[in-house]
């Protein structure tokens, strides 16, 4: 089984010399054996073909996912657990560790082994899948760890654009022409945009982590419902406000927010290993107060989201493979125009109580790569607690400013909840 990488996957893959890795850490209370872990990972590979895949290049240097005849096991690295923050150090290490994708799978497993508590990490190349897909195989992994004979089914994998875009759109002459024209115009425009000769010196990468307790998390969700805005919009507004307070006029007042393509393309199932995403950019009206701004931003988010068209977007991108080099150069060398990327995975619906162990927490995923500004904030909610991972690099956002931005986000949440409590 094999398929060509789509445009977005090729962009994330790069030339293989720079890592673009995502990490999902989680904490289990219980005792485990290496045999149980090996079996669970093997079962995951049995269900998902692309977890068995290597990447090869054809005579035109085009990369392909290719499932080996005799699949190689997912590599496991074991380190002794010394403290509660070991997973952060291991996450940073995984960001920097290249995948030898011609010889090993695009997924690794790290076991931070303790006597009663273990932290475990899935580390994967971002071209393999997104956070949603990764949460699915985390859920399946835990099922098998608890019941080795658990049935998790078999994925019917996406083999190309034809498995995502309905045939009546993909073969429509008007839609094909539209996608080709947009692709050509975009490719020409990208060539004309001036970029620097050197990429920004990234310097040291960092990870800042925090949680909101159950009470504050619950109050925030209730507040958002009362304001008729999503938690995503509220947190985007809080992030924009924090950047403005810390960076002043140097802030861009722009946050890019990924939108799950599965909302628009039902062909992509929850258990598909797939990396394609959609994006909107959110800004704040700095002349309004926070609560007024929330409603305006929510209207903007809904309007922009309603205009997203995954099918045409994919067709445009697939018509522009020859522009990939210029597009990548623009991302690496062009000036940053966004403060950060903000991603909210929402409530993670994975059980925490199992027969043989308990899942104490899932830390929000972290991701870092070479395509421009690395500043990224990811949040998720598990067992009623909102969890935040804030990644960045000194060359884009100094660590001291990132800490101040974290404090401002927390302060904004507290201020809004205190305000409504007084009312």
């Amino acid at each position: 089984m094999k398929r060509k990488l789509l445009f977005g996957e090729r962009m994330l893959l790069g030339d293989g010399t720079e890592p673009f890795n995502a990490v999902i850490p989680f904490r289990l209370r219980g005792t485990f054996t290496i045999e149980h872990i090996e079996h669970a990972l093997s079962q995951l590979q049995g269900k998902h073909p692309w977890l068995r895949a290597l990447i090869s290049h054809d005579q035109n240097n085009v990369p392909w996912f290719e499932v080996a005849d005799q699949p190689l096991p997912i590599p496991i690295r074991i380190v002794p657990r010394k403290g509660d923050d070991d997973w952060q150090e291991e996450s940073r290490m995984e960001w920097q560790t290249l995948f030898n994708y011609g010889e090993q799978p695009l997924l690794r497993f790290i076991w931070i082994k303790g006597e009663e508590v273990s932290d475990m990490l899935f580390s994967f190349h971002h071209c393999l899948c997104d956070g949603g897909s990764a949460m699915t195989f985390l859920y399946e992994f835990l099922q098998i760890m608890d019941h080795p004979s658990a049935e998790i089914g078999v994925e019917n994998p996406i083999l190309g654009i034809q498995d995502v875009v309905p045939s009546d759109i993909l073969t429509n002459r008007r839609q094909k022409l539209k996608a080709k024209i947009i692709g050509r115009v975009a490719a020409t425009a990208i060539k004309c945009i001036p970029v620097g000769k050197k990429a920004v010196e990234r310097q040291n990468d960092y990870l800042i982590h925090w949680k909101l307790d159950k009470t504050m998390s619950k109050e925030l969700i209730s507040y958002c419902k009362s304001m008729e805005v999503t938690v995503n919009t509220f947190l985007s507004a809080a992030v924009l406000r924090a950047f403005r307070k810390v960076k002043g006029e140097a802030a861009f007042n722009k946050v890019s927010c990924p939108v799950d393509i599965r909302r628009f393309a039902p062909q992509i199932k929850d258990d598909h290993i797939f990396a394609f995403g959609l994006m909107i950019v959110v800004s704040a009206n700095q002349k309004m107060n926070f609560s007024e701004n929330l409603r305006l931003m929510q209207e903007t988010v809904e309007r922009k989201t309603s205009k997203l068209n995954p099918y045409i977007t994919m067709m445009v991108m697939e018509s522009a493979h020859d522009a990939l080099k210029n597009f990548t150069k623009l991302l690496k060398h062009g000036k940053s125009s966004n403060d950060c990327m903000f991603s909210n995975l929402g409530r993670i619906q994975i059980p925490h109580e199992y027969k043989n162990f308990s899942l104490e927490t899932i830390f929000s995923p972290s991701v870092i790569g070479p395509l421009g500004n690395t500043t990224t904030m990811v949040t998720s909610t598990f067992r009623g607690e909102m969890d935040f991972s804030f990644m960045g690099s000194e060359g884009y956002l100094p660590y001291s400013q990132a800490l101040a931005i974290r404090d401002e986000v927390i302060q904004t949440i507290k201020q809004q909840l205190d305000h409504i409590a007084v009312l």
Side-chain angles (χ1 to χ4, degrees), residues 124-158:
F124 55 94
H125 198 296
H126 200 7
C127 78
L128 176 71
C129 66
D130 61 8
S133 298
M135 286 298 170
T136 293
F137 62 68
L138 168 57
Y139 169 63
E140 294 167 347
F141 172 81
L142 294 169
Q143 281 185 294
I144 301 164
M145 287 287 284
D146 200 38
H147 298 284
S149 60
E151 278 291 332
I152 59 172
V154 177
E155 178 193 355
N156 183 20
I158 291 170

Side-chain angles (χ1 to χ4, degrees), residues 80-117:
R81 189 175 191 273
K82 299 172 185 175
D84 287 346
D85 294 332
D86 293 354
W87 65 271
Q88 297 187 37
E89 181 181 344
E90 296 302 326
S91 294
R92 289 189 293 267
M93 183 182 295
E94 284 299 314
W95 294 347
Q96 308 298 334
T97 306
L98 282 167
F99 279 91
N100 184 3
Y101 52 68
E103 298 181 10
Q104 289 187 322
L106 292 156
L107 179 68
R108 294 189 287 259
F109 188 85
I110 300 85
W111 180 14
I112 306 174
K113 185 178 179 182
E115 289 187 13
E116 296 180 358
V117 175

Side-chain angles (χ1 to χ4, degrees), residues 239-338:
V239 169
L240 287 166
R241 187 187 201 193
F243 270 88
R244 180 73 175 177
K245 282 199 168 188
V246 173
K247 298 192 71 176
E249 293 297 323
F252 295 106
N253 189 31
K254 288 183 180 179
V255 169
S256 53
C257 298
V259 179
D260 190 353
I261 190 174
R262 293 165 184 81
R263 288 172 54 184
F264 305 91
Q267 298 84 349
I268 305 171
K269 307 302 181 187
D270 288 342
D271 66 349
H272 271 135
I273 302 298
F274 195 63
F276 188 88
L278 301 168
M279 196 80 65
I280 62 171
V281 176
V282 179
S283 297
N285 185 326
Q286 292 163 357
K287 295 180 181 179
M288 292 183 171
N289 67 34
F290 189 83
S291 58
E292 290 173 339
N293 219 345
L294 278 181
R295 293 189 176 91
L296 181 65
M297 286 178 65
Q298 186 63 46
E299 291 173 8
T300 304
V301 166
E302 289 171 3
R303 184 176 68 252
K304 287 186 174 183
T305 304
S306 69
K307 291 180 179 179
L308 291 174
N309 187 326
Y311 304 137
I312 290 296
T313 302
M314 285 191 74
M315 290 171 69
V316 167
M317 294 175 78
E318 290 310 294
S319 73
H321 276 262
D322 58 334
L324 180 65
K325 189 174 180 180
N326 288 327
F327 187 55
T328 301
K329 185 178 180 181
L330 174 64
L331 291 174
K332 285 187 175 183
H333 296 253
K335 288 185 178 180
S336 178
S337 60
N338 279 11

Side-chain angles (χ1 to χ4, degrees), residues 55-75:
I55 292 180
S56 59
H57 288 76
D58 62 21
Q59 65 274 17
N60 298 316
N61 203 35
V62 174
W64 292 68
F65 287 122
E66 189 166 2
V67 178
D69 292 333
Q70 291 191 323
L72 295 164
I74 292 168

Side-chain angles (χ1 to χ4, degrees), residues 197-210:
K197 291 183 179 180
K198 287 186 177 181
V200 171
E201 183 85 28
R202 203 164 107 184
Q203 302 175 42
N204 291 334
D205 300 325
Y206 53 80
L207 169 62
I208 300 170
H209 171 262
W210 73 96

Side-chain angles (χ1 to χ4, degrees), residues 2 9 17 37 90 92 107 140 155 191 253 258 275 325 330 336 341 354 367 376 401 422:
K2 61 188 294 187
E9 294 166 340
T17 62
I37 293 172
E90 296 302 326
R92 289 189 293 267
L107 179 68
E140 294 167 347
E155 178 193 355
K191 281 184 181 180
N253 189 31
K325 189 174 180 180
L330 174 64
S336 178
M341 180 179 290
Y354 294 83
V367 61
T376 304
Q401 290 190 356
V422 169

